[in-house]
Amino acid sequence: MMRVKIVRVAQGKQSTLSHLYIDGIFQCYLLEDKIRADKIPKQTAIPTGNFQLRLNTWGGMNTKYKNLMGKVHEGMIEIDQLPNFDYIYIHIGNLHSETSGCPLTGFGFQKVGEDYQVVQSRDAYKMVYPKLVKLIKDKQTAIVIENNFQF
C-alpha cells in the first residue's frame, strides 16, 4: 500500500499545483515548478514515478529549519532516488520562484496571473512534517508522484 502520494492537479505557466496524501487522506497542497520535457536546473518539476523518502540531516537547509522548528526538526524530508535531481526537499515556500525543483507545502492556494501559489505554507509544513518523519522512522518510505490534472 502506498502511504504517501503526490497528485498533480493543475498547471500554471511556470508552476504546478499538487495534493499531498498520506494513507489516502488529503494533507495539504504542494507547489512545484513547471513540468518540462527537458530539465532546466532549479526550474523543473520532479518526474512522476515511485521513489523513496528519507531524512536528510547533512544538507545546508537543516540549520535554518532547526532554528525555525527547534527540537521538532530531525532532518529535511528528502525525496530520494530521483533521476537527475538531488536535494529535493518538501519544505516551506509560497511561490514557484522559491521551489528550486522542490515541493512547497500550503493549506490553500490561489492563482495570481498565470501561475499558482500556495498560502499558509509554514502552518501546513508544521502539520505534515511530523507525520512524514514518523513514516520514515517506521520504514514506510515509498512515495508515488503522478499527474491527474483537474483544472
Side-chain angles (χ1 to χ4, degrees):
M1 169 164 110
M2 282 302 134
R3 307 279 317 254
V4 183
K5 184 183 276 191
I6 295 173
V7 180
R8 295 183 175 130
V9 296
Q11 284 252 217
K13 186 173 183 179
Q14 298 296 327
S15 59
T16 303
L17 184 68
S18 303
H19 294 165
L20 176 67
Y21 295 90
I22 298 175
D23 292 333
I25 299 169
F26 175 79
Q27 301 294 312
C28 66
Y29 292 96
L30 295 175
L31 185 74
E32 294 179 78
D33 285 312
K34 177 181 177 173
I35 296 170
R36 301 177 191 276
D38 296 315
K39 180 184 175 188
I40 299 173
K42 301 185 183 225
Q43 295 181 33
T44 304
I46 54 181
T48 57
N50 299 318
F51 305 103
Q52 298 295 311
L53 292 175
R54 72 174 175 179
L55 279 177
N56 178 312
T57 58
W58 57 90
M61 287 181 72
N62 278 289
T63 302
K64 175 182 175 183
Y65 277 71
K66 189 74 170 166
N67 290 336
L68 178 70
M69 297 186 60
K71 290 184 281 189
V72 173
H73 181 77
E74 297 184 49
M76 298 302 297
I77 304 292
E78 182 176 4
I79 303 173
D80 196 26
Q81 301 173 345
L82 291 164
N84 303 314
F85 286 82
D86 293 309
Y87 302 108
I88 299 298
Y89 305 129
I90 296 174
H91 68 87
I92 296 168
N94 300 98
L95 309 171
H96 71 87
S97 59
E98 299 171 313
T99 71
S100 294
C102 298
L104 307 176
T105 59
F107 272 147
F109 73 91
Q110 55 194 19
K111 194 165 186 188
V112 178
E114 297 180 281
D115 277 302
Y116 291 94
Q117 60 187 45
V118 291
V119 297
Q120 294 179 283
S121 183
R122 186 173 295 195
D123 293 336
Y125 184 82
K126 286 182 175 180
M127 184 274 299
V128 79
Y129 179 84
K131 294 178 183 184
L132 294 172
V133 168
K134 182 177 183 330
L135 288 173
I136 292 167
K137 286 182 170 182
D138 291 345
K139 307 292 185 218
Q140 301 291 317
T141 60
I143 183 168
V144 174
I145 302 169
E146 63 184 42
N147 296 335
N148 186 13
F149 295 110
Q150 305 293 311
F151 53 96

Short mmCIF file of all heavy atoms in Angstrom, two decimals, residues 40-100:
data_model
loop_
_atom_site.label_atom_id
_atom_site.label_comp_id
_atom_site.label_asym_id
_atom_site.label_seq_id
_atom_site.Cartn_x
_atom_site.Cartn_y
_atom_site.Cartn_z
N ILE A 40 15.44 21.99 -16.77
CA ILE A 40 16.20 23.22 -16.57
C ILE A 40 16.48 23.26 -15.07
O ILE A 40 15.54 23.25 -14.27
CB ILE A 40 15.40 24.47 -17.01
CG1 ILE A 40 15.06 24.39 -18.50
CG2 ILE A 40 16.17 25.74 -16.67
CD1 ILE A 40 14.14 25.50 -18.99
N PRO A 41 17.75 23.27 -14.66
CA PRO A 41 18.06 23.22 -13.23
C PRO A 41 17.31 24.29 -12.44
O PRO A 41 17.23 25.45 -12.86
CB PRO A 41 19.57 23.46 -13.19
CG PRO A 41 20.05 22.94 -14.51
CD PRO A 41 18.96 23.28 -15.49
N LYS A 42 16.73 23.88 -11.33
CA LYS A 42 16.00 24.73 -10.38
C LYS A 42 14.74 25.36 -10.95
O LYS A 42 14.18 26.28 -10.38
CB LYS A 42 16.93 25.80 -9.80
CG LYS A 42 18.11 25.21 -9.07
CD LYS A 42 18.95 26.27 -8.40
CE LYS A 42 20.13 25.60 -7.76
NZ LYS A 42 20.44 26.01 -6.45
N GLN A 43 14.26 24.86 -12.12
CA GLN A 43 13.05 25.41 -12.74
C GLN A 43 12.14 24.31 -13.28
O GLN A 43 11.27 24.59 -14.10
CB GLN A 43 13.42 26.35 -13.89
CG GLN A 43 14.17 27.59 -13.47
CD GLN A 43 14.48 28.47 -14.66
OE1 GLN A 43 13.73 28.55 -15.62
NE2 GLN A 43 15.62 29.14 -14.60
N THR A 44 12.34 23.08 -12.84
CA THR A 44 11.61 21.95 -13.41
C THR A 44 11.02 21.09 -12.31
O THR A 44 11.71 20.78 -11.33
CB THR A 44 12.55 21.11 -14.29
OG1 THR A 44 13.13 21.94 -15.29
CG2 THR A 44 11.80 19.97 -14.97
N ALA A 45 9.76 20.69 -12.46
CA ALA A 45 9.12 19.79 -11.51
C ALA A 45 9.81 18.42 -11.55
O ALA A 45 10.33 18.01 -12.57
CB ALA A 45 7.63 19.64 -11.86
N ILE A 46 9.78 17.74 -10.44
CA ILE A 46 10.35 16.41 -10.36
C ILE A 46 9.52 15.44 -11.20
O ILE A 46 8.36 15.69 -11.46
CB ILE A 46 10.47 15.94 -8.89
CG1 ILE A 46 9.12 16.03 -8.16
CG2 ILE A 46 11.54 16.74 -8.17
CD1 ILE A 46 9.16 15.60 -6.71
N PRO A 47 10.11 14.33 -11.64
CA PRO A 47 9.38 13.41 -12.51
C PRO A 47 8.33 12.60 -11.75
O PRO A 47 8.40 12.48 -10.53
CB PRO A 47 10.49 12.50 -13.04
CG PRO A 47 11.57 12.56 -12.02
CD PRO A 47 11.50 13.94 -11.42
N THR A 48 7.40 12.04 -12.50
CA THR A 48 6.44 11.12 -11.92
C THR A 48 7.13 9.77 -11.71
O THR A 48 8.16 9.49 -12.31
CB THR A 48 5.22 10.93 -12.84
OG1 THR A 48 5.68 10.48 -14.12
CG2 THR A 48 4.44 12.22 -13.00
N GLY A 49 6.55 8.96 -10.83
CA GLY A 49 7.10 7.64 -10.59
C GLY A 49 7.06 7.26 -9.13
O GLY A 49 6.43 7.95 -8.30
N ASN A 50 7.76 6.19 -8.80
CA ASN A 50 7.86 5.68 -7.43
C ASN A 50 9.26 5.95 -6.89
O ASN A 50 10.24 5.56 -7.53
CB ASN A 50 7.58 4.17 -7.40
CG ASN A 50 6.20 3.85 -7.90
OD1 ASN A 50 5.24 4.53 -7.58
ND2 ASN A 50 6.09 2.82 -8.71
N PHE A 51 9.30 6.59 -5.74
CA PHE A 51 10.59 6.99 -5.17
C PHE A 51 10.59 6.69 -3.67
O PHE A 51 9.70 6.02 -3.17
CB PHE A 51 10.84 8.48 -5.45
CG PHE A 51 10.75 8.81 -6.91
CD1 PHE A 51 9.64 9.43 -7.43
CD2 PHE A 51 11.77 8.45 -7.78
CE1 PHE A 51 9.53 9.71 -8.79
CE2 PHE A 51 11.68 8.71 -9.14
CZ PHE A 51 10.55 9.35 -9.64
N GLN A 52 11.61 7.17 -2.97
CA GLN A 52 11.75 6.94 -1.54
C GLN A 52 11.88 8.27 -0.80
O GLN A 52 12.44 9.23 -1.32
CB GLN A 52 13.00 6.10 -1.26
CG GLN A 52 12.98 4.72 -1.87
CD GLN A 52 11.90 3.84 -1.29
OE1 GLN A 52 11.76 3.73 -0.09
NE2 GLN A 52 11.12 3.21 -2.17
N LEU A 53 11.35 8.29 0.41
CA LEU A 53 11.56 9.43 1.31
C LEU A 53 12.66 9.06 2.29
O LEU A 53 12.80 7.90 2.68
CB LEU A 53 10.28 9.73 2.11
CG LEU A 53 9.09 10.25 1.33
CD1 LEU A 53 7.89 10.37 2.27
CD2 LEU A 53 9.40 11.60 0.69
N ARG A 54 13.43 10.06 2.70
CA ARG A 54 14.42 9.85 3.75
C ARG A 54 14.61 11.15 4.51
O ARG A 54 14.26 12.23 4.02
CB ARG A 54 15.74 9.35 3.19
CG ARG A 54 16.52 10.38 2.41
CD ARG A 54 17.86 9.83 2.03
NE ARG A 54 18.58 10.76 1.18
CZ ARG A 54 19.79 10.55 0.71
NH1 ARG A 54 20.42 9.43 1.00
NH2 ARG A 54 20.39 11.43 -0.05
N LEU A 55 15.21 11.04 5.68
CA LEU A 55 15.58 12.22 6.46
C LEU A 55 17.00 12.60 6.09
O LEU A 55 17.92 11.81 6.25
CB LEU A 55 15.51 11.93 7.96
CG LEU A 55 14.14 12.00 8.60
CD1 LEU A 55 14.23 11.63 10.08
CD2 LEU A 55 13.52 13.38 8.44
N ASN A 56 17.17 13.81 5.59
CA ASN A 56 18.49 14.32 5.26
C ASN A 56 18.93 15.21 6.41
O ASN A 56 18.31 16.25 6.66
CB ASN A 56 18.44 15.11 3.95
CG ASN A 56 19.77 15.70 3.57
OD1 ASN A 56 20.42 16.32 4.39
ND2 ASN A 56 20.16 15.55 2.32
N THR A 57 20.00 14.81 7.11
CA THR A 57 20.46 15.56 8.28
C THR A 57 21.75 16.32 8.00
O THR A 57 22.31 16.94 8.89
CB THR A 57 20.70 14.60 9.46
OG1 THR A 57 21.65 13.61 9.06
CG2 THR A 57 19.41 13.93 9.88
N TRP A 58 22.23 16.28 6.74
CA TRP A 58 23.53 16.89 6.43
C TRP A 58 23.43 18.08 5.49
O TRP A 58 24.36 18.84 5.38
CB TRP A 58 24.48 15.85 5.85
CG TRP A 58 23.93 15.17 4.63
CD1 TRP A 58 24.09 15.58 3.32
CD2 TRP A 58 23.11 14.02 4.58
NE1 TRP A 58 23.40 14.74 2.48
CE2 TRP A 58 22.80 13.76 3.23
CE3 TRP A 58 22.59 13.16 5.56
CZ2 TRP A 58 21.99 12.70 2.82
CZ3 TRP A 58 21.80 12.10 5.14
CH2 TRP A 58 21.52 11.89 3.80
N GLY A 59 22.33 18.25 4.80
CA GLY A 59 22.20 19.36 3.84
C GLY A 59 22.16 20.70 4.54
O GLY A 59 21.82 20.82 5.73
N GLY A 60 22.47 21.75 3.79
CA GLY A 60 22.56 23.10 4.34
C GLY A 60 21.27 23.68 4.90
O GLY A 60 21.31 24.56 5.75
N MET A 61 20.11 23.19 4.45
CA MET A 61 18.85 23.75 4.95
C MET A 61 18.54 23.31 6.38
O MET A 61 17.68 23.89 7.03
CB MET A 61 17.69 23.36 4.03
CG MET A 61 17.72 24.10 2.70
SD MET A 61 16.35 23.67 1.61
CE MET A 61 14.99 24.45 2.44
N ASN A 62 19.25 22.32 6.90
CA ASN A 62 18.98 21.82 8.24
C ASN A 62 19.16 22.87 9.32
O ASN A 62 18.37 22.95 10.25
CB ASN A 62 19.84 20.59 8.54
CG ASN A 62 19.21 19.34 7.96
OD1 ASN A 62 18.19 18.88 8.46
ND2 ASN A 62 19.79 18.82 6.90
N THR A 63 20.19 23.68 9.21
CA THR A 63 20.43 24.72 10.21
C THR A 63 19.27 25.70 10.25
O THR A 63 18.75 26.03 11.33
CB THR A 63 21.75 25.47 9.91
OG1 THR A 63 22.80 24.52 9.89
CG2 THR A 63 22.01 26.54 10.94
N LYS A 64 18.82 26.14 9.09
CA LYS A 64 17.69 27.08 9.01
C LYS A 64 16.44 26.47 9.64
O LYS A 64 15.74 27.12 10.42
CB LYS A 64 17.44 27.43 7.54
CG LYS A 64 16.23 28.30 7.31
CD LYS A 64 16.02 28.56 5.84
CE LYS A 64 14.72 29.32 5.61
NZ LYS A 64 14.45 29.52 4.19
N TYR A 65 16.15 25.21 9.32
CA TYR A 65 14.93 24.58 9.81
C TYR A 65 15.04 24.20 11.29
O TYR A 65 14.04 24.19 12.00
CB TYR A 65 14.54 23.39 8.92
CG TYR A 65 13.77 23.88 7.72
CD1 TYR A 65 14.41 24.58 6.70
CD2 TYR A 65 12.41 23.70 7.62
CE1 TYR A 65 13.71 25.06 5.61
CE2 TYR A 65 11.69 24.17 6.53
CZ TYR A 65 12.35 24.86 5.53
OH TYR A 65 11.65 25.34 4.46
N LYS A 66 16.23 23.92 11.77
CA LYS A 66 16.43 23.67 13.21
C LYS A 66 16.13 24.94 13.98
O LYS A 66 15.47 24.90 15.02
CB LYS A 66 17.87 23.20 13.46
CG LYS A 66 18.11 22.71 14.86
CD LYS A 66 17.47 21.36 15.05
CE LYS A 66 17.88 20.73 16.36
NZ LYS A 66 17.03 19.60 16.71
N ASN A 67 16.57 26.09 13.46
CA ASN A 67 16.28 27.37 14.11
C ASN A 67 14.79 27.68 14.05
O ASN A 67 14.22 28.24 14.99
CB ASN A 67 17.07 28.51 13.45
CG ASN A 67 18.55 28.41 13.73
OD1 ASN A 67 18.97 27.81 14.72
ND2 ASN A 67 19.36 28.99 12.86
N LEU A 68 14.14 27.33 12.96
CA LEU A 68 12.72 27.60 12.77
C LEU A 68 11.83 26.70 13.63
O LEU A 68 10.86 27.15 14.22
CB LEU A 68 12.36 27.40 11.29
CG LEU A 68 10.91 27.58 10.90
CD1 LEU A 68 10.52 29.05 11.00
CD2 LEU A 68 10.67 27.07 9.49
N MET A 69 12.19 25.41 13.71
CA MET A 69 11.29 24.43 14.33
C MET A 69 11.79 23.85 15.65
O MET A 69 11.08 23.09 16.29
CB MET A 69 11.04 23.29 13.35
CG MET A 69 10.33 23.78 12.11
SD MET A 69 9.86 22.46 11.00
CE MET A 69 8.78 21.48 12.03
N GLY A 70 13.02 24.17 16.03
CA GLY A 70 13.55 23.68 17.30
C GLY A 70 13.68 22.17 17.34
O GLY A 70 14.06 21.53 16.35
N LYS A 71 13.33 21.58 18.48
CA LYS A 71 13.52 20.14 18.71
C LYS A 71 12.69 19.28 17.76
O LYS A 71 13.00 18.11 17.57
CB LYS A 71 13.18 19.77 20.15
CG LYS A 71 14.18 20.29 21.16
CD LYS A 71 13.85 19.81 22.55
CE LYS A 71 12.71 20.66 23.10
NZ LYS A 71 12.42 20.44 24.51
N VAL A 72 11.64 19.83 17.19
CA VAL A 72 10.78 19.07 16.28
C VAL A 72 11.57 18.66 15.03
O VAL A 72 11.35 17.58 14.48
CB VAL A 72 9.54 19.91 15.88
CG1 VAL A 72 8.72 19.23 14.80
CG2 VAL A 72 8.70 20.19 17.11
N HIS A 73 12.51 19.49 14.61
CA HIS A 73 13.26 19.22 13.38
C HIS A 73 14.26 18.09 13.58
O HIS A 73 15.15 18.17 14.43
CB HIS A 73 13.99 20.48 12.90
CG HIS A 73 14.75 20.26 11.63
ND1 HIS A 73 14.13 20.20 10.41
CD2 HIS A 73 16.06 20.03 11.39
CE1 HIS A 73 15.03 19.97 9.47
NE2 HIS A 73 16.21 19.85 10.04
N GLU A 74 14.11 17.04 12.78
CA GLU A 74 15.02 15.89 12.84
C GLU A 74 15.78 15.70 11.54
O GLU A 74 16.56 14.76 11.42
CB GLU A 74 14.23 14.63 13.18
CG GLU A 74 13.56 14.70 14.54
CD GLU A 74 12.87 13.41 14.90
OE1 GLU A 74 13.50 12.33 14.77
OE2 GLU A 74 11.71 13.46 15.30
N GLY A 75 15.55 16.55 10.58
CA GLY A 75 16.18 16.45 9.27
C GLY A 75 15.18 16.89 8.22
O GLY A 75 13.97 16.95 8.47
N MET A 76 15.68 17.21 7.04
CA MET A 76 14.80 17.62 5.94
C MET A 76 14.16 16.37 5.34
O MET A 76 14.82 15.34 5.20
CB MET A 76 15.59 18.37 4.86
CG MET A 76 16.24 19.67 5.34
SD MET A 76 15.11 20.89 6.02
CE MET A 76 14.07 21.26 4.60
N ILE A 77 12.88 16.47 4.96
CA ILE A 77 12.19 15.39 4.27
C ILE A 77 12.66 15.44 2.81
O ILE A 77 12.33 16.36 2.08
CB ILE A 77 10.67 15.55 4.33
CG1 ILE A 77 10.17 15.67 5.77
CG2 ILE A 77 9.98 14.41 3.56
CD1 ILE A 77 10.31 14.44 6.61
N GLU A 78 13.45 14.45 2.42
CA GLU A 78 14.03 14.43 1.07
C GLU A 78 13.36 13.34 0.23
O GLU A 78 13.13 12.23 0.70
CB GLU A 78 15.53 14.16 1.14
CG GLU A 78 16.19 14.18 -0.23
CD GLU A 78 17.71 14.00 -0.18
OE1 GLU A 78 18.27 13.79 0.91
OE2 GLU A 78 18.33 14.06 -1.26
N ILE A 79 13.02 13.70 -1.01
CA ILE A 79 12.56 12.70 -1.97
C ILE A 79 13.81 12.20 -2.68
O ILE A 79 14.48 12.95 -3.38
CB ILE A 79 11.53 13.28 -2.96
CG1 ILE A 79 10.34 13.87 -2.19
CG2 ILE A 79 11.08 12.20 -3.94
CD1 ILE A 79 9.34 14.61 -3.06
N ASP A 80 14.12 10.94 -2.45
CA ASP A 80 15.40 10.37 -2.86
C ASP A 80 15.22 9.49 -4.11
O ASP A 80 14.12 9.06 -4.42
CB ASP A 80 15.95 9.53 -1.71
CG ASP A 80 17.42 9.20 -1.88
OD1 ASP A 80 18.14 9.95 -2.56
OD2 ASP A 80 17.85 8.18 -1.32
N GLN A 81 16.32 9.25 -4.78
CA GLN A 81 16.39 8.38 -5.95
C GLN A 81 15.68 8.97 -7.17
O GLN A 81 15.22 8.24 -8.05
CB GLN A 81 15.85 6.97 -5.64
CG GLN A 81 16.59 6.30 -4.51
CD GLN A 81 15.97 5.01 -4.06
OE1 GLN A 81 14.84 4.70 -4.39
NE2 GLN A 81 16.72 4.22 -3.30
N LEU A 82 15.58 10.27 -7.22
CA LEU A 82 15.01 10.95 -8.39
C LEU A 82 16.09 11.03 -9.47
O LEU A 82 17.21 11.47 -9.19
CB LEU A 82 14.56 12.36 -8.04
CG LEU A 82 13.36 12.48 -7.11
CD1 LEU A 82 13.29 13.89 -6.54
CD2 LEU A 82 12.09 12.15 -7.85
N PRO A 83 15.78 10.63 -10.70
CA PRO A 83 16.79 10.73 -11.75
C PRO A 83 17.11 12.19 -12.09
O PRO A 83 16.20 12.98 -12.31
CB PRO A 83 16.14 10.01 -12.94
CG PRO A 83 14.68 10.02 -12.65
CD PRO A 83 14.52 10.07 -11.16
N ASN A 84 18.38 12.55 -12.07
CA ASN A 84 18.88 13.89 -12.42
C ASN A 84 18.47 14.99 -11.45
O ASN A 84 18.54 16.17 -11.80
CB ASN A 84 18.44 14.28 -13.85
CG ASN A 84 18.91 13.27 -14.86
OD1 ASN A 84 20.07 12.85 -14.84
ND2 ASN A 84 18.02 12.85 -15.74
N PHE A 85 18.03 14.65 -10.25
CA PHE A 85 17.68 15.64 -9.23
C PHE A 85 18.36 15.24 -7.92
O PHE A 85 18.39 14.06 -7.57
CB PHE A 85 16.17 15.67 -8.96
CG PHE A 85 15.35 16.31 -10.04
CD1 PHE A 85 14.99 15.58 -11.17
CD2 PHE A 85 14.92 17.62 -9.93
CE1 PHE A 85 14.21 16.16 -12.17
CE2 PHE A 85 14.14 18.20 -10.92
CZ PHE A 85 13.79 17.47 -12.04
N ASP A 86 18.89 16.22 -7.20
CA ASP A 86 19.49 16.00 -5.90
C ASP A 86 18.94 17.01 -4.91
O ASP A 86 18.57 18.12 -5.27
CB ASP A 86 21.02 16.16 -5.97
CG ASP A 86 21.67 15.06 -6.79
OD1 ASP A 86 21.38 13.87 -6.53
OD2 ASP A 86 22.44 15.40 -7.71
N TYR A 87 18.91 16.63 -3.65
CA TYR A 87 18.48 17.50 -2.55
C TYR A 87 17.10 18.11 -2.81
O TYR A 87 16.91 19.31 -2.74
CB TYR A 87 19.53 18.60 -2.29
CG TYR A 87 20.87 18.02 -1.94
CD1 TYR A 87 21.92 18.08 -2.86
CD2 TYR A 87 21.09 17.37 -0.74
CE1 TYR A 87 23.16 17.52 -2.57
CE2 TYR A 87 22.32 16.81 -0.44
CZ TYR A 87 23.35 16.90 -1.36
OH TYR A 87 24.57 16.34 -1.06
N ILE A 88 16.14 17.25 -3.12
CA ILE A 88 14.76 17.68 -3.32
C ILE A 88 14.01 17.46 -2.01
O ILE A 88 13.79 16.32 -1.59
CB ILE A 88 14.09 16.92 -4.49
CG1 ILE A 88 14.83 17.18 -5.79
CG2 ILE A 88 12.61 17.28 -4.59
CD1 ILE A 88 14.85 18.64 -6.25
N TYR A 89 13.67 18.56 -1.36
CA TYR A 89 13.02 18.53 -0.06
C TYR A 89 11.58 19.01 -0.16
O TYR A 89 11.28 19.92 -0.93
CB TYR A 89 13.73 19.46 0.93
CG TYR A 89 15.21 19.21 1.11
CD1 TYR A 89 16.12 20.24 0.99
CD2 TYR A 89 15.69 17.94 1.42
CE1 TYR A 89 17.47 20.04 1.18
CE2 TYR A 89 17.04 17.72 1.61
CZ TYR A 89 17.94 18.77 1.49
OH TYR A 89 19.27 18.56 1.68
N ILE A 90 10.71 18.46 0.67
CA ILE A 90 9.39 19.04 0.90
C ILE A 90 9.63 20.12 1.95
O ILE A 90 10.13 19.84 3.05
CB ILE A 90 8.40 17.97 1.39
CG1 ILE A 90 8.18 16.92 0.29
CG2 ILE A 90 7.07 18.62 1.81
CD1 ILE A 90 7.34 15.73 0.70
N HIS A 91 9.31 21.38 1.61
CA HIS A 91 9.64 22.47 2.54
C HIS A 91 8.70 23.66 2.40
O HIS A 91 7.73 23.62 1.66
CB HIS A 91 11.11 22.87 2.42
CG HIS A 91 11.51 23.53 1.13
ND1 HIS A 91 11.41 24.88 0.92
CD2 HIS A 91 12.05 23.01 -0.01
CE1 HIS A 91 11.86 25.17 -0.29
NE2 HIS A 91 12.25 24.05 -0.87
N ILE A 92 8.99 24.71 3.15
CA ILE A 92 8.18 25.91 3.23
C ILE A 92 8.49 26.85 2.07
O ILE A 92 9.65 27.00 1.69
CB ILE A 92 8.45 26.64 4.57
CG1 ILE A 92 8.01 25.75 5.74
CG2 ILE A 92 7.74 27.99 4.62
CD1 ILE A 92 8.48 26.25 7.10
N GLY A 93 7.46 27.49 1.55
CA GLY A 93 7.58 28.48 0.49
C GLY A 93 6.21 28.71 -0.12
O GLY A 93 5.30 27.89 0.05
N ASN A 94 6.05 29.82 -0.81
CA ASN A 94 4.74 30.16 -1.37
C ASN A 94 4.71 30.28 -2.89
O ASN A 94 3.66 30.08 -3.49
CB ASN A 94 4.25 31.48 -0.76
CG ASN A 94 4.11 31.40 0.74
OD1 ASN A 94 4.99 31.84 1.48
ND2 ASN A 94 3.03 30.80 1.19
N LEU A 95 5.83 30.61 -3.50
CA LEU A 95 5.86 30.93 -4.93
C LEU A 95 6.74 29.93 -5.69
O LEU A 95 7.72 29.42 -5.14
CB LEU A 95 6.43 32.34 -5.14
CG LEU A 95 5.80 33.46 -4.32
CD1 LEU A 95 6.60 34.74 -4.48
CD2 LEU A 95 4.35 33.64 -4.72
N HIS A 96 6.43 29.72 -6.96
CA HIS A 96 7.25 28.79 -7.75
C HIS A 96 8.70 29.25 -7.82
O HIS A 96 9.61 28.44 -7.95
CB HIS A 96 6.67 28.56 -9.15
CG HIS A 96 6.78 29.72 -10.06
ND1 HIS A 96 7.89 29.95 -10.82
CD2 HIS A 96 5.93 30.73 -10.32
CE1 HIS A 96 7.71 31.06 -11.53
NE2 HIS A 96 6.53 31.55 -11.23
N SER A 97 8.94 30.53 -7.67
CA SER A 97 10.32 31.04 -7.69
C SER A 97 11.10 30.61 -6.44
O SER A 97 12.31 30.75 -6.40
CB SER A 97 10.32 32.57 -7.82
OG SER A 97 9.62 33.16 -6.73
N GLU A 98 10.41 30.08 -5.44
CA GLU A 98 11.06 29.64 -4.20
C GLU A 98 11.28 28.13 -4.15
O GLU A 98 11.76 27.61 -3.16
CB GLU A 98 10.22 30.05 -2.99
CG GLU A 98 10.05 31.55 -2.86
CD GLU A 98 9.06 31.95 -1.80
OE1 GLU A 98 7.95 31.38 -1.75
OE2 GLU A 98 9.39 32.86 -1.01
N THR A 99 10.95 27.41 -5.22
CA THR A 99 10.99 25.95 -5.14
C THR A 99 12.33 25.34 -5.49
O THR A 99 12.71 24.35 -4.88
CB THR A 99 9.94 25.31 -6.07
OG1 THR A 99 10.36 25.49 -7.42
CG2 THR A 99 8.57 25.85 -5.84
N SER A 100 13.03 25.83 -6.48
CA SER A 100 14.26 25.20 -7.00
C SER A 100 14.03 23.72 -7.27
O SER A 100 14.91 22.89 -7.04
CB SER A 100 15.43 25.40 -6.04
OG SER A 100 15.78 26.75 -5.97
#
